[in-house]
Amino acid sequence: MRYKLGDFVRFVDEKLEGYVTRIIDEQMIGVTVEDDFEIPVLASKVTYVHGHGAESHDEEYVADIKVPAGEFKSKGVHIAVVADAKANALVHLYIINETSYQLLASVTTEQQKQFKGEFAGIVEPNGVAKIYSAKLSDLQLWPKFIFQVLFFTKQNQESVNPLNVSEQFKAKDFSGAKKLVPYIKQQGWMIQLDEPELIIDAEKLKESFFKPAEEKPQTVAKPVSELDLHIEKLRDDHQFLSSSEILNIQTDHFKKALDAAIVHQMPDITFIHGTGNGILKHELHKLLSKHPKVQTFMDARKEKFGYGATKVILK
């Protein structure tokens, strides 16, 4: 197979172009076009687009950032997972080097005892290298990654042990909030490979067993007056959740916000649930109809929300 995941290709017989997001077999590939729709096509019916901007899969780019004299950073080797700017279904994996070391890195994947070299090269201090591309929705099909890193510097620094880290990415790795990835200047998830060693103070640990726990007063934050319950507003990992899990998360946020509104004696609160198939709206109305602190509820401003929001008037 001449193509790899993340390659940007153009269709020979049609005015379409996109990213390779699936290797089906030796003859067929899946190409995701601009509207995030994946089209199966013969590999012979597409052609590779060379030099497709600064984000092309075959390019490695390094941020030109100077390290202040006398400031040597020894920790900060990350894997960043960033969605493609044009094909949201596709994500790219990068090595992010925030250290002052020059890194000699290799990345190997393992799947069903089959090994494949994905990347080998030098990542400069404060540099970035793209190492892999795949569809985030296919996370359960991703291989295990083996990251091996050697550290080099001409400065007067002690020798550092090489990194040898195996990582099988799971949905929980992408459950946290995205952050701005250094040098790339895009939102993504960051996984640190060279986590600082955990140092345990035996005396402090011993004291903690005998010291009575201090009770902290619990405070309930005042909720916003209009709470959006769309799952993409509540969880970054929503694409990995089942329908029942999504409904449970939405109703849990609803209950907590409603209780908080009652505690703060708010006169009303609006829940944005969308129209969709009506399951969430039905569930919310069922809970509201039985709540002793709810005076009434109704469709919120139709000119703003249509029938996709419910306004709750509290007693």
Side-chain angles (χ1 to χ4, degrees), residues 158-176:
E158 281 190 41
S159 176
V160 178
N161 289 330
L163 281 179
N164 194 333
V165 179
S166 296
E167 187 75 53
Q168 180 74 63
F169 291 107
K170 299 180 178 65
K172 66 179 180 63
D173 295 314
F174 308 106
S175 60

Side-chain angles (χ1 to χ4, degrees), residues 197-206 208-209:
E197 292 181 14
L198 180 64
I199 300 173
I200 299 174
D201 188 319
E203 285 302 317
K204 287 185 178 179
L205 184 64
K206 184 178 177 181
S208 68
F209 283 113

Side-chain angles (χ1 to χ4, degrees), residues 258-259 262 286-295 315:
L258 182 62
D259 289 344
I262 293 167
K286 185 172 72 174
L287 293 169
L288 289 169
S289 65
K290 299 176 183 177
H291 203 291
K293 293 291 184 180
V294 173
Q295 181 174 316
K315 291 180 179 178

